[in-house]
Amino acid sequence: MASAIELIVRAYIQVGDRAALVGLLDHRKRIAKDLRSRTSFNFAVPLDAVETEIDVIEAGVATFDKLPS
């Protein structure tokens, strides 16, 4: 079964909305940066989840880079 982020990325690819994917990627990267900067608690589990989502989104953005213009 596909994860929620995989379904979202797939939908953005189907409608051809690269800008939305890049915005989603930027948002996830800001979340990861924020989690890394926190020292009051071990955020390894949520950070791993966000980094997995970043990988999925980057793969989606890469599909637009491979498409002929």
Side-chain angles (χ1 to χ4, degrees):
M1 174 176 254
S3 69
I5 198 69
E6 290 170 331
L7 295 174
I8 292 167
V9 168
R10 190 177 309 156
Y12 283 141
I13 292 170
Q14 286 177 348
V15 298
D17 197 346
R18 185 182 194 281
L21 267 181
V22 170
L24 188 61
L25 179 60
D26 290 343
H27 180 254
R28 289 303 192 278
K29 285 182 176 182
R30 285 192 308 270
I31 291 172
K33 182 180 176 182
D34 183 51
L35 289 173
R36 282 188 206 99
S37 70
R38 297 187 181 261
T39 59
S40 60
F41 184 76
N42 182 358
F43 288 97
V45 172
L47 182 58
D48 286 344
V50 171
E51 288 175 343
T52 299
E53 291 179 353
I54 288 171
D55 292 340
V56 171
I57 299 165
E58 285 176 337
V61 171
T63 63
F64 283 103
D65 297 339
K66 294 175 188 173
L67 295 177
S69 302

